[in-house]
Each structure stands twice: as structure tokens, then as C-alpha cells.
């Protein structure tokens, strides 16, 4: 289940302020493009039926949730408040910060700019992952319509995705990634002071199949 609101007061309520004087705030991936950093959470985050402790924060406006890191993290297994071709080296004022308070993990992409359109303006947005599996996207500053962002050099996505890995055959060690679920939000809705609250159903079950089983049992 998800709720989207355009009320600035509610967006402000969900927004996590990160003061640089706070010793718990960490700054990562400054002066970088198409880079990512692994962060170990202080709690297990339930994501599509499995518990995640290590996440990969990307300059591209998303968090990769998979265990096996590969060359194309943007393909699937992500939490993306706004995936795009951001480059923190374009401006000295661009930062990616995170804060873990023990029950919630927040990442903010602060004044980041698009590599192929740096003059479009700076974007500021964040996502918070709660220990119970809830997720919040909040958008503070979106200078241009998201649907106008070019996806030629990098995918542009808003939402969630998960996948599983499977061998091509019993005779091969090569594995393929199969996406089995995706949540997409309309790009037109991503504007200043927007907040999206996701309250997953099977995402925080120990086994997503248990949701289907419980529905059948209660039929």
C-alpha cells in the first residue's frame, strides 16, 4: 500500500533534517559520478521477504538492495526515490548524506545535479527506511519536471524493484537476474513538497509466499 501527498506540512513532517554538526550524520560519495558505497545498517530491514543489513547507496538517486553487486545496479533490486544521472562532482554544494538512528535509515541527495543537464538546477530529496519495512520518499526541491529528465545515459525511475538470480543451466556457472516485482510511481507526481509513504504487505513477511498462503487459507 502507498500514499502520496502534496501537502507541504506533511512533507515537512516526514523530512529528516541533517545538520552537519550532528556526529551521527555521514557524508559520502561527494565529487563522484556513477559510484556507490556500501553501508551497514544498525538493524535488519525487511525487503521482499528477506532481511537486509548491507545496502548500497548510489550517486544515481537510489539504494541497491541486492547481495550480489554487479556492473548495472540500476537494473533491479532497488529503492529509488529518484533514479537519474546525478553527478556530485558537478557542484561543490552537492552532497549525499545518511543518518541511522537505530530504527530508521535516511539518505538525502542534497543539491545534486544532472551530469548531462547541470544547468537544470539542483535536486534535493531523500528516502527513509524504517525498521518495520515502511519506506518514505520526500522531495524538497525538484527544479524541472521529472518526465523531462533524459534517460539516454541513465535510467530514470521512481519506485521499488526486486529480483532473484538463477543459473542458466545445471551445466553452467553463469547466472541471470530475473525481476519478479516492481512498484512504479508516476513521474508527473514528483514535484516540490511531495511525500510518498509505502507500507508494504508481503515485503515485510519472512516469506512473501506466506501472504498468498494466508489468503488461500482465509478464502
Amino acid at each position: 500500500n502507498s500514499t502520496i501527498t502534496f501537502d507541504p506540512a506533511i512533507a515537512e513532517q516526514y523530512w529528516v533534517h541533517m545538520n552537519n554538526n550532528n556526529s551521527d550524520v555521514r557524508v559520502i560519495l561527494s565529487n563522484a559520478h556513477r559510484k556507490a558505497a556500501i553501508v551497514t545498517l544498525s538493524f535488519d530491514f525487511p525487503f521482499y521477504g528477506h532481511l537486509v543489513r548491507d545496502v548500497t547507496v548510489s550517486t544515481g538517486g537510489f539504494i541497491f538492495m541486492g547481495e550480489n553487486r554487479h556492473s548495472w545496479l540500476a537494473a533491479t533490486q532497488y529503492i529509488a526515490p529518484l533514479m537519474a544521472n546525478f553527478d556530485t562532482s558537478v557542484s561543490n554544494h552537492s552532497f549525499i548524506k545518511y543518518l541511522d538512528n537505530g530504527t530508521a535509515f535516511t539518505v538525502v541527495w542534497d543539491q545534486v545535479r544532472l551530469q548531462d543537464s547541470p544547468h537544470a538546477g539542483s535536486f534535493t530529496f531523500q528516502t527513509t527506511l524504517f525498521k518495520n519495512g515502511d519506506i518514505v520518499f520526500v522531495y524538497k526541491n525538484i527544479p524541472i519536471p521529472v518526465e523531462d529528465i533524459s534517460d539516454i545515459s541513465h535510467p530514470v525511475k521512481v519506485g521499488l524493484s526486486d529480483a532473484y538470480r538463477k543459473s542458466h543451466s545445471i551445466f553452467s556457472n553463469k547466472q541471470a537476474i530475473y525481476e519478479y516485482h516492481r512498484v512504479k510511481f508516476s513521474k508527473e507526481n514528483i514535484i516540490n513538497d511531495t511525500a510518498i509513504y509505502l507500507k508494504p504487505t508481503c515485503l515485510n513477511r519472512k516469506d512473501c509466499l506466506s501472504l498468498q498462503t494466508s489468503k488461500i487459507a482465509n478464502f
Side-chain angles (χ1 to χ4, degrees):
N1 298 328
S2 62
T3 303
I4 183 168
T5 176
F6 304 99
D7 186 335
I10 296 178
E12 178 63 24
Q13 177 184 339
Y14 288 139
W15 185 264
V16 177
H17 292 273
M18 295 193 192
N19 190 321
N20 289 336
N21 295 325
N22 186 338
S23 60
D24 293 328
V25 174
R26 299 287 184 266
V27 179
I28 56 174
L29 300 171
S30 297
N31 196 32
H33 175 242
R34 287 184 179 269
K35 299 295 183 181
I38 299 173
V39 178
T40 300
L41 306 182
S42 65
F43 56 90
D44 291 325
F45 178 74
F47 186 70
Y48 281 99
H50 49 270
L51 299 177
V52 177
R53 181 60 70 101
D54 291 333
V55 300
T56 305
V57 179
S58 169
T59 55
F62 68 96
I63 302 174
F64 177 71
M65 304 299 291
E67 293 182 0
N68 300 295
R69 291 157 188 88
H70 44 80
S71 59
W72 195 237
L73 300 183
T76 186
Q77 293 182 292
Y78 56 75
I79 295 176
L82 180 52
M83 182 189 295
N85 193 25
F86 295 115
D87 184 347
T88 58
S89 68
V90 170
S91 169
N92 292 329
H93 303 290
S94 298
F95 299 96
I96 298 175
K97 307 174 186 178
Y98 72 86
L99 175 65
D100 186 334
N101 67 6
T103 59
F105 173 73
T106 301
V107 179
V108 59
W109 287 263
D110 188 6
Q111 300 186 68
V112 295
R113 291 177 179 264
L114 297 165
Q115 189 197 53
D116 34 17
S117 302
H119 300 297
S122 61
F123 294 72
T124 298
F125 56 93
Q126 70 177 210
T127 184
T128 297
L129 282 54
F130 293 97
K131 189 175 182 178
N132 66 352
D134 290 0
I135 302 168
V136 176
F137 297 161
V138 189
Y139 305 90
K140 182 71 72 173
N141 189 54
I142 306 297
I144 62 172
V146 173
E147 59 268 32
D148 291 346
I149 299 176
S150 172
D151 61 359
I152 294 176
S153 301
H154 193 288
V156 179
K157 305 176 185 178
V158 178
L160 316 175
S161 169
D162 198 27
Y164 64 90
R165 298 171 70 92
K166 184 179 180 181
S167 298
H168 284 293
S169 72
I170 60 174
F171 305 104
S172 173
N173 291 326
K174 293 183 178 180
Q175 291 188 325
I177 300 174
Y178 296 90
E179 182 181 65
Y180 68 88
H181 191 266
R182 179 185 294 185
V183 177
K184 295 172 60 178
F185 292 99
S186 174
K187 297 175 183 177
E188 291 80 2
N189 289 332
I190 309 306
I191 58 177
N192 292 352
D193 299 318
T194 299
I196 301 175
Y197 197 105
L198 297 94
K199 198 169 186 63
T201 51
C202 83
L203 276 69
N204 60 3
R205 298 289 185 108
K206 186 174 292 185
D207 180 357
C208 285
L209 293 177
S210 66
L211 178 63
Q212 299 176 5
T213 304
S214 64
K215 285 184 176 179
I216 294 173
N218 294 327
F219 180 74

